Amino acid sequence: MNKITYCYHSHTKRCGHASGEDEEYIKKAIEFGLKDYGVSDHVILPHIIQPGMRGAWNLLDDYLSSIKNLKEKYKDQINIYTAFECEYMPQYVDYYRSLLKKKKVDYLILGQHCYFKDRRVIWYHELDVETGLKEYTEHLISGMATGLFMYVAHPDIFMCITDKWNDLTKKYAKQIIDAAIKYDLPLEINLAHARYYGMRQFAGAYTYFEYPFTPFWEMVAKSKAKVVIGFDSHRPIDVLYPGLEVVEHIVKTTGVKPIYNLSLKDKKNRI
């Protein structure tokens, strides 16, 4: 298997469902041999309190300063970047854009988990299947169209909404893949879920539970969409043992061709 040189999807304890100190993650990244490591916790949003999902607003300065200090401390050993994993929500697009323009973050990734409506959190998997799939796909594609994001995290997380792989799910999967090609945004093979749940019979296939969902990646392999790998680390040990055997299995099973060497220094700003 090719040697991966980057991790651009990782979290910190501030989100409420990760653990470990920031510096522990960096030390594990260096031990693994990564060249580029991006800290991309769930985006901290103004006036939003969502315990167990994202850090509160008063944690923003600490988050930014901690990573800045680690960048300087380890600058001769690894390239460290500041980022956020964000949901597309139209009311926050200007905020996301300001984070980039003011250089508070180096990049953003698009990870669609939920959205806010009338100050309520709406989770896609809590909607009826057709509505959930439709809204997830529409919101994800709208996010791609903004040009604010480096890549799409776990695009196949929509399999949390349904346990069926049928014409309906395939329709929305195709829309996501077509949009990724249109907007030239890589799709991420996400390793977090597979590390915890492994493989099983699900939605008519022997695959990783919910995501990465092998039939989805078979569709991606037949397209011209770009593919990246996301550790989605929530513990320092996840950086050292990210579960790359999952990628190896998907590559062998589907023929998809991930990018193993991706340096932010070579990417143009997508603002």
Side-chain angles (χ1 to χ4, degrees), residues 85-120:
E85 178 187 9
C86 308
E87 289 83 6
Y88 167 77
M89 290 180 271
Q91 66 267 41
Y92 293 114
V93 167
D94 287 343
Y95 168 61
Y96 296 162
R97 185 173 286 111
S98 72
L99 289 172
L100 290 164
K101 286 192 172 181
K102 293 177 181 178
K103 301 191 183 302
K104 289 188 175 182
V105 298
D106 299 301
Y107 67 91
L108 302 172
I109 59 176
L110 178 62
Q112 205 70 27
H113 305 88
C114 59
Y115 64 97
F116 295 101
K117 184 176 182 180
D118 300 326
R119 299 192 67 80
R120 290 191 307 115

PDB file of all heavy atoms in Angstrom, residues 85-120:
ATOM      1  N   GLU A  85     -14.028  21.600  10.436  1.00  0.00           N
ATOM      2  CA  GLU A  85     -14.985  20.797   9.671  1.00  0.00           C
ATOM      3  C   GLU A  85     -16.338  21.469   9.839  1.00  0.00           C
ATOM      4  O   GLU A  85     -16.819  21.641  10.959  1.00  0.00           O
ATOM      5  CB  GLU A  85     -15.034  19.361  10.190  1.00  0.00           C
ATOM      6  CG  GLU A  85     -16.045  18.494   9.451  1.00  0.00           C
ATOM      7  CD  GLU A  85     -16.216  17.109  10.060  1.00  0.00           C
ATOM      8  OE1 GLU A  85     -15.673  16.857  11.163  1.00  0.00           O
ATOM      9  OE2 GLU A  85     -16.922  16.279   9.437  1.00  0.00           O
ATOM     10  N   CYS A  86     -16.950  21.844   8.720  1.00  0.00           N
ATOM     11  CA  CYS A  86     -18.150  22.684   8.756  1.00  0.00           C
ATOM     12  C   CYS A  86     -19.330  22.041   8.043  1.00  0.00           C
ATOM     13  O   CYS A  86     -19.161  21.388   7.009  1.00  0.00           O
ATOM     14  CB  CYS A  86     -17.895  24.022   8.059  1.00  0.00           C
ATOM     15  SG  CYS A  86     -16.445  24.921   8.630  1.00  0.00           S
ATOM     16  N   GLU A  87     -20.510  22.290   8.574  1.00  0.00           N
ATOM     17  CA  GLU A  87     -21.739  22.010   7.838  1.00  0.00           C
ATOM     18  C   GLU A  87     -22.072  23.219   6.973  1.00  0.00           C
ATOM     19  O   GLU A  87     -21.897  24.362   7.413  1.00  0.00           O
ATOM     20  CB  GLU A  87     -22.909  21.752   8.793  1.00  0.00           C
ATOM     21  CG  GLU A  87     -22.845  20.443   9.541  1.00  0.00           C
ATOM     22  CD  GLU A  87     -21.977  20.513  10.788  1.00  0.00           C
ATOM     23  OE1 GLU A  87     -21.508  21.621  11.136  1.00  0.00           O
ATOM     24  OE2 GLU A  87     -21.767  19.472  11.422  1.00  0.00           O
ATOM     25  N   TYR A  88     -22.590  22.980   5.787  1.00  0.00           N
ATOM     26  CA  TYR A  88     -23.115  24.093   5.005  1.00  0.00           C
ATOM     27  C   TYR A  88     -24.430  24.542   5.622  1.00  0.00           C
ATOM     28  O   TYR A  88     -25.369  23.756   5.784  1.00  0.00           O
ATOM     29  CB  TYR A  88     -23.355  23.707   3.545  1.00  0.00           C
ATOM     30  CG  TYR A  88     -24.179  24.758   2.823  1.00  0.00           C
ATOM     31  CD1 TYR A  88     -23.589  25.950   2.414  1.00  0.00           C
ATOM     32  CD2 TYR A  88     -25.550  24.582   2.617  1.00  0.00           C
ATOM     33  CE1 TYR A  88     -24.346  26.945   1.800  1.00  0.00           C
ATOM     34  CE2 TYR A  88     -26.307  25.568   2.007  1.00  0.00           C
ATOM     35  CZ  TYR A  88     -25.707  26.749   1.599  1.00  0.00           C
ATOM     36  OH  TYR A  88     -26.445  27.731   1.013  1.00  0.00           O
ATOM     37  N   MET A  89     -24.483  25.804   6.000  1.00  0.00           N
ATOM     38  CA  MET A  89     -25.720  26.452   6.422  1.00  0.00           C
ATOM     39  C   MET A  89     -25.620  27.875   5.905  1.00  0.00           C
ATOM     40  O   MET A  89     -24.638  28.570   6.201  1.00  0.00           O
ATOM     41  CB  MET A  89     -25.873  26.417   7.947  1.00  0.00           C
ATOM     42  CG  MET A  89     -26.151  25.030   8.506  1.00  0.00           C
ATOM     43  SD  MET A  89     -26.329  24.978  10.314  1.00  0.00           S
ATOM     44  CE  MET A  89     -24.621  24.722  10.808  1.00  0.00           C
ATOM     45  N   PRO A  90     -26.572  28.324   5.123  1.00  0.00           N
ATOM     46  CA  PRO A  90     -26.439  29.636   4.468  1.00  0.00           C
ATOM     47  C   PRO A  90     -26.183  30.782   5.436  1.00  0.00           C
ATOM     48  O   PRO A  90     -25.474  31.731   5.110  1.00  0.00           O
ATOM     49  CB  PRO A  90     -27.770  29.809   3.715  1.00  0.00           C
ATOM     50  CG  PRO A  90     -28.661  28.728   4.193  1.00  0.00           C
ATOM     51  CD  PRO A  90     -27.827  27.643   4.732  1.00  0.00           C
ATOM     52  N   GLN A  91     -26.724  30.686   6.650  1.00  0.00           N
ATOM     53  CA  GLN A  91     -26.550  31.771   7.614  1.00  0.00           C
ATOM     54  C   GLN A  91     -25.116  31.879   8.135  1.00  0.00           C
ATOM     55  O   GLN A  91     -24.759  32.886   8.763  1.00  0.00           O
ATOM     56  CB  GLN A  91     -27.527  31.612   8.785  1.00  0.00           C
ATOM     57  CG  GLN A  91     -27.304  30.392   9.671  1.00  0.00           C
ATOM     58  CD  GLN A  91     -28.114  29.182   9.253  1.00  0.00           C
ATOM     59  OE1 GLN A  91     -28.229  28.908   8.062  1.00  0.00           O
ATOM     60  NE2 GLN A  91     -28.676  28.467  10.225  1.00  0.00           N
ATOM     61  N   TYR A  92     -24.287  30.868   7.871  1.00  0.00           N
ATOM     62  CA  TYR A  92     -22.907  30.899   8.358  1.00  0.00           C
ATOM     63  C   TYR A  92     -21.869  31.014   7.243  1.00  0.00           C
ATOM     64  O   TYR A  92     -20.671  31.007   7.526  1.00  0.00           O
ATOM     65  CB  TYR A  92     -22.622  29.660   9.207  1.00  0.00           C
ATOM     66  CG  TYR A  92     -23.397  29.654  10.495  1.00  0.00           C
ATOM     67  CD1 TYR A  92     -24.386  28.705  10.731  1.00  0.00           C
ATOM     68  CD2 TYR A  92     -23.155  30.619  11.477  1.00  0.00           C
ATOM     69  CE1 TYR A  92     -25.113  28.719  11.908  1.00  0.00           C
ATOM     70  CE2 TYR A  92     -23.888  30.636  12.654  1.00  0.00           C
ATOM     71  CZ  TYR A  92     -24.862  29.686  12.866  1.00  0.00           C
ATOM     72  OH  TYR A  92     -25.590  29.707  14.029  1.00  0.00           O
ATOM     73  N   VAL A  93     -22.299  31.142   6.007  1.00  0.00           N
ATOM     74  CA  VAL A  93     -21.352  31.221   4.893  1.00  0.00           C
ATOM     75  C   VAL A  93     -20.435  32.433   5.034  1.00  0.00           C
ATOM     76  O   VAL A  93     -19.220  32.344   4.826  1.00  0.00           O
ATOM     77  CB  VAL A  93     -22.095  31.230   3.541  1.00  0.00           C
ATOM     78  CG1 VAL A  93     -21.155  31.642   2.407  1.00  0.00           C
ATOM     79  CG2 VAL A  93     -22.681  29.849   3.252  1.00  0.00           C
ATOM     80  N   ASP A  94     -20.979  33.577   5.396  1.00  0.00           N
ATOM     81  CA  ASP A  94     -20.146  34.776   5.560  1.00  0.00           C
ATOM     82  C   ASP A  94     -19.137  34.586   6.694  1.00  0.00           C
ATOM     83  O   ASP A  94     -17.991  35.058   6.610  1.00  0.00           O
ATOM     84  CB  ASP A  94     -21.011  36.006   5.826  1.00  0.00           C
ATOM     85  CG  ASP A  94     -21.755  36.478   4.586  1.00  0.00           C
ATOM     86  OD1 ASP A  94     -21.361  36.073   3.467  1.00  0.00           O
ATOM     87  OD2 ASP A  94     -22.733  37.239   4.730  1.00  0.00           O
ATOM     88  N   TYR A  95     -19.553  33.928   7.752  1.00  0.00           N
ATOM     89  CA  TYR A  95     -18.643  33.643   8.870  1.00  0.00           C
ATOM     90  C   TYR A  95     -17.507  32.731   8.401  1.00  0.00           C
ATOM     91  O   TYR A  95     -16.335  32.987   8.707  1.00  0.00           O
ATOM     92  CB  TYR A  95     -19.437  33.003  10.000  1.00  0.00           C
ATOM     93  CG  TYR A  95     -18.596  32.392  11.100  1.00  0.00           C
ATOM     94  CD1 TYR A  95     -17.720  33.163  11.865  1.00  0.00           C
ATOM     95  CD2 TYR A  95     -18.700  31.030  11.400  1.00  0.00           C
ATOM     96  CE1 TYR A  95     -16.964  32.599  12.887  1.00  0.00           C
ATOM     97  CE2 TYR A  95     -17.951  30.461  12.422  1.00  0.00           C
ATOM     98  CZ  TYR A  95     -17.084  31.243  13.153  1.00  0.00           C
ATOM     99  OH  TYR A  95     -16.339  30.683  14.160  1.00  0.00           O
ATOM    100  N   TYR A  96     -17.839  31.681   7.670  1.00  0.00           N
ATOM    101  CA  TYR A  96     -16.805  30.787   7.146  1.00  0.00           C
ATOM    102  C   TYR A  96     -15.828  31.548   6.247  1.00  0.00           C
ATOM    103  O   TYR A  96     -14.608  31.389   6.341  1.00  0.00           O
ATOM    104  CB  TYR A  96     -17.429  29.645   6.330  1.00  0.00           C
ATOM    105  CG  TYR A  96     -18.323  28.704   7.105  1.00  0.00           C
ATOM    106  CD1 TYR A  96     -19.226  27.881   6.438  1.00  0.00           C
ATOM    107  CD2 TYR A  96     -18.282  28.621   8.494  1.00  0.00           C
ATOM    108  CE1 TYR A  96     -20.050  27.001   7.121  1.00  0.00           C
ATOM    109  CE2 TYR A  96     -19.103  27.748   9.189  1.00  0.00           C
ATOM    110  CZ  TYR A  96     -19.988  26.943   8.499  1.00  0.00           C
ATOM    111  OH  TYR A  96     -20.806  26.074   9.176  1.00  0.00           O
ATOM    112  N   ARG A  97     -16.397  32.387   5.408  1.00  0.00           N
ATOM    113  CA  ARG A  97     -15.551  33.152   4.484  1.00  0.00           C
ATOM    114  C   ARG A  97     -14.619  34.086   5.258  1.00  0.00           C
ATOM    115  O   ARG A  97     -13.447  34.231   4.911  1.00  0.00           O
ATOM    116  CB  ARG A  97     -16.425  33.939   3.516  1.00  0.00           C
ATOM    117  CG  ARG A  97     -15.635  34.665   2.428  1.00  0.00           C
ATOM    118  CD  ARG A  97     -16.535  35.296   1.382  1.00  0.00           C
ATOM    119  NE  ARG A  97     -17.096  34.289   0.490  1.00  0.00           N
ATOM    120  CZ  ARG A  97     -18.376  33.934   0.457  1.00  0.00           C
ATOM    121  NH1 ARG A  97     -19.239  34.494   1.285  1.00  0.00           N
ATOM    122  NH2 ARG A  97     -18.794  33.014  -0.395  1.00  0.00           N
ATOM    123  N   SER A  98     -15.120  34.666   6.333  1.00  0.00           N
ATOM    124  CA  SER A  98     -14.287  35.585   7.121  1.00  0.00           C
ATOM    125  C   SER A  98     -13.159  34.826   7.826  1.00  0.00           C
ATOM    126  O   SER A  98     -12.055  35.363   7.982  1.00  0.00           O
ATOM    127  CB  SER A  98     -15.138  36.343   8.134  1.00  0.00           C
ATOM    128  OG  SER A  98     -15.566  35.501   9.198  1.00  0.00           O
ATOM    129  N   LEU A  99     -13.417  33.598   8.274  1.00  0.00           N
ATOM    130  CA  LEU A  99     -12.358  32.800   8.894  1.00  0.00           C
ATOM    131  C   LEU A  99     -11.193  32.606   7.928  1.00  0.00           C
ATOM    132  O   LEU A  99     -10.021  32.669   8.322  1.00  0.00           O
ATOM    133  CB  LEU A  99     -12.910  31.438   9.314  1.00  0.00           C
ATOM    134  CG  LEU A  99     -13.866  31.399  10.509  1.00  0.00           C
ATOM    135  CD1 LEU A  99     -14.458  29.998  10.662  1.00  0.00           C
ATOM    136  CD2 LEU A  99     -13.161  31.815  11.805  1.00  0.00           C
ATOM    137  N   LEU A 100     -11.519  32.387   6.667  1.00  0.00           N
ATOM    138  CA  LEU A 100     -10.483  32.189   5.654  1.00  0.00           C
ATOM    139  C   LEU A 100      -9.809  33.507   5.281  1.00  0.00           C
ATOM    140  O   LEU A 100      -8.583  33.601   5.232  1.00  0.00           O
ATOM    141  CB  LEU A 100     -11.090  31.540   4.410  1.00  0.00           C
ATOM    142  CG  LEU A 100     -11.530  30.079   4.572  1.00  0.00           C
ATOM    143  CD1 LEU A 100     -12.451  29.666   3.425  1.00  0.00           C
ATOM    144  CD2 LEU A 100     -10.318  29.154   4.631  1.00  0.00           C
ATOM    145  N   LYS A 101     -10.608  34.521   5.030  1.00  0.00           N
ATOM    146  CA  LYS A 101     -10.044  35.799   4.586  1.00  0.00           C
ATOM    147  C   LYS A 101      -9.185  36.457   5.648  1.00  0.00           C
ATOM    148  O   LYS A 101      -8.172  37.100   5.338  1.00  0.00           O
ATOM    149  CB  LYS A 101     -11.163  36.742   4.141  1.00  0.00           C
ATOM    150  CG  LYS A 101     -11.769  36.359   2.801  1.00  0.00           C
ATOM    151  CD  LYS A 101     -12.656  37.451   2.259  1.00  0.00           C
ATOM    152  CE  LYS A 101     -13.088  37.125   0.838  1.00  0.00           C
ATOM    153  NZ  LYS A 101     -13.949  38.188   0.259  1.00  0.00           N
ATOM    154  N   LYS A 102      -9.567  36.306   6.906  1.00  0.00           N
ATOM    155  CA  LYS A 102      -8.782  36.878   8.004  1.00  0.00           C
ATOM    156  C   LYS A 102      -7.639  35.962   8.429  1.00  0.00           C
ATOM    157  O   LYS A 102      -6.914  36.260   9.377  1.00  0.00           O
ATOM    158  CB  LYS A 102      -9.683  37.158   9.206  1.00  0.00           C
ATOM    159  CG  LYS A 102     -10.703  38.262   8.937  1.00  0.00           C
ATOM    160  CD  LYS A 102     -11.626  38.467  10.145  1.00  0.00           C
ATOM    161  CE  LYS A 102     -12.649  39.553   9.867  1.00  0.00           C
ATOM    162  NZ  LYS A 102     -13.588  39.729  11.012  1.00  0.00           N
ATOM    163  N   LYS A 103      -7.518  34.834   7.707  1.00  0.00           N
ATOM    164  CA  LYS A 103      -6.441  33.858   7.938  1.00  0.00           C
ATOM    165  C   LYS A 103      -6.444  33.295   9.361  1.00  0.00           C
ATOM    166  O   LYS A 103      -5.402  32.960   9.911  1.00  0.00           O
ATOM    167  CB  LYS A 103      -5.076  34.455   7.578  1.00  0.00           C
ATOM    168  CG  LYS A 103      -4.986  34.902   6.118  1.00  0.00           C
ATOM    169  CD  LYS A 103      -3.587  35.244   5.702  1.00  0.00           C
ATOM    170  CE  LYS A 103      -3.538  35.747   4.262  1.00  0.00           C
ATOM    171  NZ  LYS A 103      -4.073  34.781   3.293  1.00  0.00           N
ATOM    172  N   LYS A 104      -7.644  33.206   9.920  1.00  0.00           N
ATOM    173  CA  LYS A 104      -7.749  32.536  11.209  1.00  0.00           C
ATOM    174  C   LYS A 104      -7.601  31.026  11.036  1.00  0.00           C
ATOM    175  O   LYS A 104      -7.181  30.326  11.964  1.00  0.00           O
ATOM    176  CB  LYS A 104      -9.082  32.873  11.873  1.00  0.00           C
ATOM    177  CG  LYS A 104      -9.154  34.323  12.353  1.00  0.00           C
ATOM    178  CD  LYS A 104     -10.409  34.568  13.171  1.00  0.00           C
ATOM    179  CE  LYS A 104     -10.417  35.977  13.738  1.00  0.00           C
ATOM    180  NZ  LYS A 104     -11.606  36.250  14.589  1.00  0.00           N
ATOM    181  N   VAL A 105      -8.001  30.535   9.857  1.00  0.00           N
ATOM    182  CA  VAL A 105      -7.812  29.131   9.522  1.00  0.00           C
ATOM    183  C   VAL A 105      -7.132  29.025   8.169  1.00  0.00           C
ATOM    184  O   VAL A 105      -7.180  29.957   7.350  1.00  0.00           O
ATOM    185  CB  VAL A 105      -9.151  28.355   9.502  1.00  0.00           C
ATOM    186  CG1 VAL A 105      -9.815  28.374  10.863  1.00  0.00           C
ATOM    187  CG2 VAL A 105     -10.082  28.892   8.434  1.00  0.00           C
ATOM    188  N   ASP A 106      -6.498  27.879   7.946  1.00  0.00           N
ATOM    189  CA  ASP A 106      -5.809  27.638   6.676  1.00  0.00           C
ATOM    190  C   ASP A 106      -6.722  27.013   5.639  1.00  0.00           C
ATOM    191  O   ASP A 106      -6.495  27.155   4.440  1.00  0.00           O
ATOM    192  CB  ASP A 106      -4.603  26.720   6.905  1.00  0.00           C
ATOM    193  CG  ASP A 106      -3.588  27.333   7.848  1.00  0.00           C
ATOM    194  OD1 ASP A 106      -3.080  28.429   7.532  1.00  0.00           O
ATOM    195  OD2 ASP A 106      -3.309  26.749   8.917  1.00  0.00           O
ATOM    196  N   TYR A 107      -7.734  26.293   6.083  1.00  0.00           N
ATOM    197  CA  TYR A 107      -8.682  25.661   5.163  1.00  0.00           C
ATOM    198  C   TYR A 107      -9.911  25.232   5.946  1.00  0.00           C
ATOM    199  O   TYR A 107      -9.935  25.228   7.182  1.00  0.00           O
ATOM    200  CB  TYR A 107      -8.053  24.450   4.455  1.00  0.00           C
ATOM    201  CG  TYR A 107      -7.745  23.280   5.369  1.00  0.00           C
ATOM    202  CD1 TYR A 107      -8.677  22.265   5.589  1.00  0.00           C
ATOM    203  CD2 TYR A 107      -6.522  23.191   6.034  1.00  0.00           C
ATOM    204  CE1 TYR A 107      -8.401  21.204   6.434  1.00  0.00           C
ATOM    205  CE2 TYR A 107      -6.243  22.137   6.879  1.00  0.00           C
ATOM    206  CZ  TYR A 107      -7.188  21.146   7.082  1.00  0.00           C
ATOM    207  OH  TYR A 107      -6.915  20.096   7.934  1.00  0.00           O
ATOM    208  N   LEU A 108     -10.944  24.866   5.206  1.00  0.00           N
ATOM    209  CA  LEU A 108     -12.164  24.299   5.766  1.00  0.00           C
ATOM    210  C   LEU A 108     -12.495  23.014   5.011  1.00  0.00           C
ATOM    211  O   LEU A 108     -12.228  22.922   3.809  1.00  0.00           O
ATOM    212  CB  LEU A 108     -13.339  25.269   5.627  1.00  0.00           C
ATOM    213  CG  LEU A 108     -13.208  26.649   6.267  1.00  0.00           C
ATOM    214  CD1 LEU A 108     -14.385  27.535   5.851  1.00  0.00           C
ATOM    215  CD2 LEU A 108     -13.136  26.546   7.791  1.00  0.00           C
ATOM    216  N   ILE A 109     -13.070  22.029   5.712  1.00  0.00           N
ATOM    217  CA  ILE A 109     -13.611  20.867   5.023  1.00  0.00           C
ATOM    218  C   ILE A 109     -15.115  20.824   5.260  1.00  0.00           C
ATOM    219  O   ILE A 109     -15.616  21.324   6.270  1.00  0.00           O
ATOM    220  CB  ILE A 109     -12.933  19.545   5.434  1.00  0.00           C
ATOM    221  CG1 ILE A 109     -13.070  19.275   6.931  1.00  0.00           C
ATOM    222  CG2 ILE A 109     -11.477  19.548   5.011  1.00  0.00           C
ATOM    223  CD1 ILE A 109     -12.496  17.923   7.345  1.00  0.00           C
ATOM    224  N   LEU A 110     -15.824  20.248   4.315  1.00  0.00           N
ATOM    225  CA  LEU A 110     -17.277  20.194   4.356  1.00  0.00           C
ATOM    226  C   LEU A 110     -17.724  18.845   4.909  1.00  0.00           C
ATOM    227  O   LEU A 110     -17.492  17.807   4.286  1.00  0.00           O
ATOM    228  CB  LEU A 110     -17.839  20.403   2.942  1.00  0.00           C
ATOM    229  CG  LEU A 110     -19.353  20.332   2.759  1.00  0.00           C
ATOM    230  CD1 LEU A 110     -20.052  21.429   3.559  1.00  0.00           C
ATOM    231  CD2 LEU A 110     -19.707  20.461   1.267  1.00  0.00           C
ATOM    232  N   GLY A 111     -18.321  18.852   6.094  1.00  0.00           N
ATOM    233  CA  GLY A 111     -18.820  17.624   6.702  1.00  0.00           C
ATOM    234  C   GLY A 111     -20.243  17.840   7.182  1.00  0.00           C
ATOM    235  O   GLY A 111     -20.470  18.495   8.199  1.00  0.00           O
ATOM    236  N   GLN A 112     -21.203  17.308   6.435  1.00  0.00           N
ATOM    237  CA  GLN A 112     -22.607  17.623   6.678  1.00  0.00           C
ATOM    238  C   GLN A 112     -23.223  16.632   7.661  1.00  0.00           C
ATOM    239  O   GLN A 112     -23.473  15.472   7.313  1.00  0.00           O
ATOM    240  CB  GLN A 112     -23.357  17.592   5.339  1.00  0.00           C
ATOM    241  CG  GLN A 112     -24.598  18.440   5.309  1.00  0.00           C
ATOM    242  CD  GLN A 112     -24.305  19.939   5.333  1.00  0.00           C
ATOM    243  OE1 GLN A 112     -23.246  20.390   4.902  1.00  0.00           O
ATOM    244  NE2 GLN A 112     -25.238  20.712   5.852  1.00  0.00           N
ATOM    245  N   HIS A 113     -23.455  17.074   8.908  1.00  0.00           N
ATOM    246  CA  HIS A 113     -24.037  16.210   9.928  1.00  0.00           C
ATOM    247  C   HIS A 113     -25.468  16.615  10.265  1.00  0.00           C
ATOM    248  O   HIS A 113     -26.321  15.765  10.505  1.00  0.00           O
ATOM    249  CB  HIS A 113     -23.224  16.278  11.231  1.00  0.00           C
ATOM    250  CG  HIS A 113     -21.776  15.976  11.056  1.00  0.00           C
ATOM    251  ND1 HIS A 113     -20.849  16.945  10.742  1.00  0.00           N
ATOM    252  CD2 HIS A 113     -21.089  14.811  11.147  1.00  0.00           C
ATOM    253  CE1 HIS A 113     -19.655  16.387  10.662  1.00  0.00           C
ATOM    254  NE2 HIS A 113     -19.773  15.102  10.905  1.00  0.00           N
ATOM    255  N   CYS A 114     -25.703  17.911  10.313  1.00  0.00           N
ATOM    256  CA  CYS A 114     -26.984  18.435  10.782  1.00  0.00           C
ATOM    257  C   CYS A 114     -27.110  19.877  10.301  1.00  0.00           C
ATOM    258  O   CYS A 114     -26.204  20.405   9.640  1.00  0.00           O
ATOM    259  CB  CYS A 114     -27.056  18.385  12.307  1.00  0.00           C
ATOM    260  SG  CYS A 114     -25.723  19.331  13.126  1.00  0.00           S
ATOM    261  N   TYR A 115     -28.218  20.502  10.629  1.00  0.00           N
ATOM    262  CA  TYR A 115     -28.372  21.928  10.349  1.00  0.00           C
ATOM    263  C   TYR A 115     -29.308  22.534  11.386  1.00  0.00           C
ATOM    264  O   TYR A 115     -29.947  21.818  12.166  1.00  0.00           O
ATOM    265  CB  TYR A 115     -28.880  22.173   8.923  1.00  0.00           C
ATOM    266  CG  TYR A 115     -30.263  21.641   8.615  1.00  0.00           C
ATOM    267  CD1 TYR A 115     -31.383  22.462   8.677  1.00  0.00           C
ATOM    268  CD2 TYR A 115     -30.452  20.310   8.235  1.00  0.00           C
ATOM    269  CE1 TYR A 115     -32.653  21.984   8.387  1.00  0.00           C
ATOM    270  CE2 TYR A 115     -31.719  19.819   7.943  1.00  0.00           C
ATOM    271  CZ  TYR A 115     -32.803  20.661   8.012  1.00  0.00           C
ATOM    272  OH  TYR A 115     -34.064  20.177   7.733  1.00  0.00           O
ATOM    273  N   PHE A 116     -29.357  23.868  11.412  1.00  0.00           N
ATOM    274  CA  PHE A 116     -30.191  24.570  12.389  1.00  0.00           C
ATOM    275  C   PHE A 116     -31.384  25.202  11.688  1.00  0.00           C
ATOM    276  O   PHE A 116     -31.244  25.827  10.642  1.00  0.00           O
ATOM    277  CB  PHE A 116     -29.381  25.653  13.100  1.00  0.00           C
ATOM    278  CG  PHE A 116     -28.259  25.107  13.932  1.00  0.00           C
ATOM    279  CD1 PHE A 116     -26.957  25.138  13.466  1.00  0.00           C
ATOM    280  CD2 PHE A 116     -28.504  24.547  15.172  1.00  0.00           C
ATOM    281  CE1 PHE A 116     -25.916  24.626  14.220  1.00  0.00           C
ATOM    282  CE2 PHE A 116     -27.479  24.029  15.944  1.00  0.00           C
ATOM    283  CZ  PHE A 116     -26.185  24.067  15.463  1.00  0.00           C
ATOM    284  N   LYS A 117     -32.542  25.015  12.282  1.00  0.00           N
ATOM    285  CA  LYS A 117     -33.768  25.610  11.757  1.00  0.00           C
ATOM    286  C   LYS A 117     -34.577  26.135  12.934  1.00  0.00           C
ATOM    287  O   LYS A 117     -34.924  25.358  13.831  1.00  0.00           O
ATOM    288  CB  LYS A 117     -34.579  24.575  10.972  1.00  0.00           C
ATOM    289  CG  LYS A 117     -35.824  25.141  10.316  1.00  0.00           C
ATOM    290  CD  LYS A 117     -36.527  24.074   9.487  1.00  0.00           C
ATOM    291  CE  LYS A 117     -37.754  24.649   8.797  1.00  0.00           C
ATOM    292  NZ  LYS A 117     -38.449  23.608   7.983  1.00  0.00           N
ATOM    293  N   ASP A 118     -34.845  27.419  12.920  1.00  0.00           N
ATOM    294  CA  ASP A 118     -35.565  28.058  14.031  1.00  0.00           C
ATOM    295  C   ASP A 118     -34.897  27.742  15.359  1.00  0.00           C
ATOM    296  O   ASP A 118     -35.555  27.414  16.359  1.00  0.00           O
ATOM    297  CB  ASP A 118     -37.034  27.594  14.057  1.00  0.00           C
ATOM    298  CG  ASP A 118     -37.773  27.942  12.774  1.00  0.00           C
ATOM    299  OD1 ASP A 118     -37.459  28.999  12.192  1.00  0.00           O
ATOM    300  OD2 ASP A 118     -38.631  27.150  12.353  1.00  0.00           O
ATOM    301  N   ARG A 119     -33.549  27.788  15.342  1.00  0.00           N
ATOM    302  CA  ARG A 119     -32.707  27.556  16.518  1.00  0.00           C
ATOM    303  C   ARG A 119     -32.799  26.126  17.049  1.00  0.00           C
ATOM    304  O   ARG A 119     -32.388  25.830  18.165  1.00  0.00           O
ATOM    305  CB  ARG A 119     -33.026  28.562  17.636  1.00  0.00           C
ATOM    306  CG  ARG A 119     -32.788  30.009  17.225  1.00  0.00           C
ATOM    307  CD  ARG A 119     -32.826  30.946  18.407  1.00  0.00           C
ATOM    308  NE  ARG A 119     -31.701  30.710  19.315  1.00  0.00           N
ATOM    309  CZ  ARG A 119     -30.475  31.171  19.116  1.00  0.00           C
ATOM    310  NH1 ARG A 119     -30.186  31.885  18.029  1.00  0.00           N
ATOM    311  NH2 ARG A 119     -29.534  30.920  20.007  1.00  0.00           N
ATOM    312  N   ARG A 120     -33.329  25.220  16.245  1.00  0.00           N
ATOM    313  CA  ARG A 120     -33.356  23.806  16.594  1.00  0.00           C
ATOM    314  C   ARG A 120     -32.345  23.046  15.742  1.00  0.00           C
ATOM    315  O   ARG A 120     -32.117  23.386  14.575  1.00  0.00           O
ATOM    316  CB  ARG A 120     -34.750  23.199  16.356  1.00  0.00           C
ATOM    317  CG  ARG A 120     -35.826  23.671  17.302  1.00  0.00           C
ATOM    318  CD  ARG A 120     -37.097  22.822  17.164  1.00  0.00           C
ATOM    319  NE  ARG A 120     -37.566  22.744  15.799  1.00  0.00           N
ATOM    320  CZ  ARG A 120     -37.599  21.615  15.079  1.00  0.00           C
ATOM    321  NH1 ARG A 120     -37.168  20.483  15.595  1.00  0.00           N
ATOM    322  NH2 ARG A 120     -38.067  21.641  13.849  1.00  0.00           N
TER     323      ARG A 120
END
